[in-house]
Amino acid sequence: MTVNDTGGHKVRLAAKEGRLEDLRALLDKHSGGMTMYDQQGRTPLFLAAEAGHDECVDELLRRGSDPNLSANRSEGKHSPLTVAAKNGHHACVKLLLAKGARVDHVSEQLDSSGSALSLAVNAGHIPCVRALLIHKASTETQSRSGHTPLSLAAARGRLDCLNALLEHGAQVDARHKDSGRTPFMLACQMGREDCVTALVNASCNKDTSDESGQTGLMLASSMGHRIIVEYLIKAGCDPQVKDNEG
């Protein structure tokens, strides 16, 4: 459908603004409005999900809107599910999943790449994280920047998200594709004390090193995270280990 269609514009605007009764009336008059997209390739369902208008999302889905139609019809763009998860719209996430939204669709957009799970974890939206995990979202899908959901949780200090991921079998020692750093090492580097403790309790490898030979203890020390350094030494990490440069 063309982006300049007047009926489609009205449907998109009603969905974006959460005007349910107007949306219903417009869809009754312009049944094709559900598939009419704007200049950014966003459908009414996409706009409603992005803004968190769950009643409008429900109405559009019940009328047959495709939950897997991503922006600009491109596989590398956001889907209604990824934008809903990114923005923390739990009710919309649940509705989309119930109607068959692809749980592991990956956005490749530079500003916010990753699966719905990665995006929800990155922003700390734990209700969305739990909903996605219940629907068997992959815990190992990497974002464009090379992070798994668990490494994002560790780096961001999202303890609730980190624990939920571990409960659902996330690989505790998964490595970043470029740096070779594990979630534990990222938590050490960023000073996330609670996440460091949780990962140690989950039996992560405390002594593994990254591509440059640095361990979690070295990273914590270099960043001045004294409490973590003291904790790791008490936990048995060797302070005498050298990196690749000695």
Side-chain angles (χ1 to χ4, degrees):
M1 297 291 180
T2 62
V3 299
N4 295 319
D5 182 273
T6 301
H9 173 73
K10 291 179 179 179
V11 171
R12 290 192 301 274
L13 191 60
K16 181 178 181 179
E17 295 179 351
R19 294 184 280 110
L20 180 61
E21 294 306 319
D22 288 347
L23 179 64
R24 285 171 173 161
L26 287 164
L27 289 173
D28 287 341
K29 185 176 180 180
H30 305 282
S31 60
M34 292 188 302
T35 60
M36 294 177 183
Y37 52 93
D38 65 10
Q39 291 181 342
Q40 286 75 49
R42 301 172 299 181
T43 63
L45 178 61
F46 186 105
L47 292 166
E50 184 177 37
H53 299 309
D54 54 284
E55 289 184 335
C56 292
V57 168
D58 186 45
E59 183 69 21
L60 289 160
L61 288 170
R62 288 194 302 104
R63 290 181 183 242
S65 287
D66 185 351
N68 293 310
L69 202 58
S70 54
N72 289 325
R73 309 315 202 250
S74 169
E75 284 298 310
K77 299 295 184 180
H78 277 303
S79 68
L81 181 63
T82 60
V83 291
K86 174 177 176 285
N87 293 334
H89 301 315
H90 178 227
C92 294
V93 167
K94 290 177 66 177
L95 287 166
L96 290 161
L97 289 170
K99 285 293 186 178
R102 292 198 299 272
V103 70
D104 289 324
H105 171 85
V106 175
S107 165
E108 296 293 342
Q109 294 185 214
L110 287 173
D111 60 336
S112 54
S113 71
S115 65
L117 181 59
S118 289
L119 293 166
V121 167
N122 189 55
H125 300 312
I126 187 61
C128 293
V129 169
R130 290 190 175 121
L132 291 159
L133 288 170
I134 288 170
H135 279 78
K136 309 300 183 185
S138 172
T139 59
E140 308 309 322
T141 300
Q142 292 189 352
S143 67
R144 183 170 182 159
S145 60
H147 288 289
T148 64
L150 189 65
S151 66
L152 285 170
R156 294 286 191 183
R158 312 293 192 196
L159 181 62
D160 287 346
C161 295
L162 184 141
N163 285 331
L165 290 162
L166 290 173
E167 289 168 7
H168 284 263
Q171 294 183 28
V172 69
D173 289 320
R175 292 182 177 275
H176 186 277
K177 65 178 183 179
D178 297 321
S179 70
R181 289 180 182 169
T182 63
F184 167 74
M185 299 169 75
L186 291 167
C188 290
Q189 178 186 11
M190 301 304 295
R192 311 302 188 185
E193 297 168 18
D194 290 343
C195 291
V196 169
T197 301
L199 290 162
V200 170
N201 290 339
S203 301
C204 71
N205 187 337
K206 304 187 299 296
D207 297 312
T208 190
S209 57
D210 64 12
E211 291 297 317
S212 64
Q214 290 189 301
T215 64
L217 178 59
M218 291 177 187
L219 291 165
S221 179
S222 69
M223 300 301 294
H225 303 310
R226 178 180 56 81
I227 293 175
I228 293 178
V229 170
E230 292 174 353
Y231 168 75
L232 292 178
I233 291 174
K234 288 180 181 178
C237 292
D238 185 357
Q240 303 303 318
V241 173
K242 306 293 185 181
D243 64 15
N244 292 350
E245 296 182 358

